Amino acid sequence: MYQSPISPGRSWYEDSIPDRPTYPSLDGDRSADVVIIGGGFTGLSAAVHLAKSGTDAVLIEAYRFGDGASGRNGGQMGTGQRAWAEEQEAELGLGRARALFDLAEEAKSHLLEFTTTNGIDIDYRAGQMSVAHKPRYVAEYKAHAEIMAERFGYPHLSFMDSAETAERLGSTHYYGGVLDTGTGHIHPLKLLVGTAKAAAAAGARLFEQTRSTGISSRNGKVVVETPNGTITADKGLIAVNAYGGDLEPVSAAHVMPIGSFIGATPPLPADTPVLPGGEAVDDSRFVVRYFRKSADNRLLFGGREIYGVKDPKDIHIHIRRQITEIYPALKDVELTHGWGGYVGITLPRRPFVREVLPNVISAGGYSGHGVMLSNFVGKLYAETVAGNRDRLKLFEELNVPAFPGGRRFRSPLLFLALSWYALRDRI
Ligand SMILES: Cc1cc2nc3c(=O)[nH]c(=O)nc-3n(C[C@H](O)[C@H](O)[C@H](O)COP(=O)(O)OP(=O)(O)OC[C@H]3O[C@@H](n4cnc5c(N)ncnc54)[C@H](O)[C@@H]3O)c2cc1C
């Protein structure tokens, strides 16, 4: 059984997918119109859209498609960008905030259309709740629902008081929140595998187990080195997000990997009080908890942690403790799976999209909001290659500063900052 070498544990997703084709590794030199590094949602979505528009694309992935964040995440699509629309408005003005929100709405409908057009079953289930773990956040959620309807034309968000929240969650742990009926949650690995198949069917040349050891721009060409061959192309897309290491310094300075972990329970009884409506949930903690039920009624429960967890047993312990705080009745339920991955975050929690070398665009840093955005950024990249950069520009123009401290010192600095926020979650 294949176990991703970059996850500290096997995911329930890997065990619930019927067919995960493998792709060859690169052996020999290639030339192409576009070279893509990274086989997650960003890279594979770009490959599909490029290939469908007749562009010759070569994509390489260091491990297997979906071994990065895309195959192992919480599956929550969300609405808008990671930062709330009103926060964007305060900084960017209503016009730009609205443009970013509308783009994210398009990302959402694009994802659902894309899966329908390409016959990909993603176990889509509607409904998402964001809930307050402290009474002081309840008023913010109420105001948020009103602002979204009035200023951003989004009618699907409704405020929930503590009684409704308790009923919908099957838990009295939270104080209120919002219900979003205009979004939902999915099986991410099914989407990822389906996207790879669609890319291959459209004619993209896909390679797994092929790590790029360097990318450069030389004499008007983009050159990507791998251990067994060089790819030369007119344009390049770096889609390595939190997993890029030292591949390219500008991306590395702006996108920071943060570990996040998920545990799966066995299927719960059909009449379980846990999430009777089947919505996904995220909470107001800075070190956010996110959970939902799978198509076969398991509770998939995620929590970000500020320290690295390498041993799957530790994931089980941490996640079970968090589940029990919210659902004490599940205290004796053993988890069947525990796994983890890296979320790519940026300082202002906005996507990082930038031309980092001549004709090379880097995209990532969706800050925990990439399920719909990364797929859409792949499409916008293909639009850019076809000559229309207007919409990708909306992301490129966002102010995303580098993390202070450089590659060496930013982790300790972030650790301190996260520790402070984690402490604040508790008081
Ligand atoms: C545990 C977890 C839970 C999450 N939950 C949610 C959620 O509920 N909702 C949400 O919206 N987002 C969530 N996210 C974030 C979301 O998964 C990501 O934003 C999204 O998958 C990013 O896709 P990507 O293609 O940009 O990156 P990835 O999927 O990480 O793909 C990058 C790929 O690049 C490859 N790579 C790296 N370096 C090289 C190299 N040198 N050569 C070749 N290949 C290379 C990696 O192996 C990897 O496969 C979560 C992430 C994690 C880890």
Side-chain angles (χ1 to χ4, degrees):
M1 236 181 350
Y2 176 77
Q3 151 79 54
S4 161
I6 48 172
S7 166
R10 188 173 167 79
S11 78
W12 171 75
Y13 300 128
E14 287 163 299
D15 279 339
S16 59
I17 187 138
D19 165 35
R20 191 178 175 194
T22 54
Y23 296 84
S25 60
L26 181 73
D27 197 2
D29 296 341
R30 299 284 192 286
S31 55
D33 297 331
V34 176
V35 56
I36 302 166
I37 309 177
F41 290 146
T42 306
L44 284 166
S45 160
V48 179
H49 292 286
L50 286 166
K52 285 197 175 184
S53 67
T55 303
D56 179 24
V58 167
L59 181 151
I60 57 169
E61 160 59 44
Y63 299 96
R64 285 187 67 187
F65 297 144
D67 276 0
S70 300
R72 55 190 62 260
N73 58 60
Q76 303 202 18
M77 287 169 60
T79 287
Q81 308 286 331
R82 176 72 174 89
W84 278 1
E86 54 267 45
E87 290 170 37
Q88 313 261 21
E89 183 188 346
E91 194 185 326
L92 306 171
L94 183 58
R96 275 180 80 193
R98 182 82 201 234
L100 283 170
F101 181 78
D102 291 347
L103 206 62
E105 275 299 278
E106 203 186 325
K108 201 191 275 177
S109 49
H110 162 259
L111 185 57
L112 299 179
E113 266 166 43
F114 176 81
T115 53
T116 309
T117 315
N118 291 284
I120 309 171
D121 174 18
I122 53 167
D123 295 352
Y124 176 76
R125 193 146 184 196
Q128 160 139 27
M129 297 184 277
S130 296
V131 292
H133 79 293
K134 296 281 177 195
R136 63 176 183 263
Y137 297 123
V138 173
E140 283 176 30
Y141 280 116
K142 191 159 196 257
H144 179 56
E146 286 163 11
I147 291 169
M148 290 313 293
E150 284 162 16
R151 292 219 288 277
F152 290 85
Y154 187 72
H156 306 294
L157 215 56
S158 58
F159 174 68
M160 301 185 296
D161 62 14
S162 60
E164 183 179 351
T165 304
E167 197 179 315
R168 289 189 182 276
L169 262 75
S171 163
T172 53
H173 184 77
Y174 292 100
Y175 296 89
V178 286
L179 168 66
D180 188 344
T181 52
T183 189
H185 53 101
I186 65 160
H187 187 306
L189 189 58
K190 285 190 178 175
L191 173 60
L192 195 283
V193 167
T195 307
K197 285 184 188 167
R205 289 180 283 160
L206 307 181
F207 298 96
E208 290 183 322
Q209 311 291 358
T210 304
R211 170 176 294 279
S212 162
T213 49
I215 178 164
S216 54
S217 240
R218 290 182 220 156
N219 308 324
K221 290 282 183 189
V222 177
V223 180
V224 169
E225 317 279 354
T226 80
N228 294 317
T230 297
I231 305 154
T232 308
D234 296 329
K235 295 183 192 311
L237 172 65
I238 299 179
V240 295
N241 207 357
Y243 290 86
D246 289 329
L247 176 68
E248 192 282 311
V250 179
S251 315
H254 290 81
V255 178
M256 161 96 88
I258 296 274
S260 191
F261 304 92
I262 303 181
T265 68
L268 300 176
D271 62 350
T272 176
V274 174
L275 298 172
E279 299 93 348
V281 184
D282 67 359
D283 78 8
S284 52
R285 286 178 173 83
F286 182 83
V287 185
V288 65
R289 295 181 187 179
Y290 51 96
F291 46 100
R292 66 191 184 99
K293 283 191 301 188
S294 61
D296 67 352
N297 227 32
R298 290 161 195 273
L299 180 64
L300 306 182
F301 193 101
R304 211 173 278 174
E305 293 294 345
I306 51 175
Y307 38 80
V309 176
K310 295 255 174 330
D311 186 340
K313 278 204 264 8
D314 291 340
I315 301 176
H316 287 229
I317 293 166
H318 290 302
I319 297 291
R320 268 184 72 182
R321 181 179 47 75
Q322 295 183 8
I323 291 177
T324 306
E325 278 176 35
I326 299 167
Y327 296 111
L330 299 184
K331 74 176 183 339
D332 295 324
V333 174
E334 292 288 342
L335 302 183
T336 57
H337 298 74
W339 68 95
Y342 287 107
V343 182
I345 63 160
T346 64
L347 212 46
R349 303 287 193 273
R350 295 183 184 133
F352 171 76
V353 180
R354 196 167 294 177
E355 186 159 345
V356 289
L357 290 166
N359 296 318
V360 177
I361 288 180
S362 178
Y366 310 102
S367 305
H369 208 70
V371 167
M372 63 169 182
L373 289 181
S374 56
N375 282 284
F376 196 59
V377 164
K379 176 180 156 61
L380 297 187
Y381 176 76
E383 250 177 47
T384 303
V385 170
N388 176 6
R389 197 164 175 168
D390 292 352
R391 297 193 316 154
L392 194 71
K393 272 250 176 286
L394 286 169
F395 287 122
E396 288 182 72
E397 284 166 354
L398 290 173
N399 179 20
V400 178
F403 279 94
R407 289 258 307 140
R408 238 178 97 208
F409 294 111
R410 64 185 192 167
S411 287
L413 283 175
L414 192 78
F415 182 85
L416 284 178
L418 289 181
S419 304
W420 158 244
Y421 281 115
L423 182 71
R424 229 183 46 168
D425 280 344
R426 289 197 282 276
I427 53 180

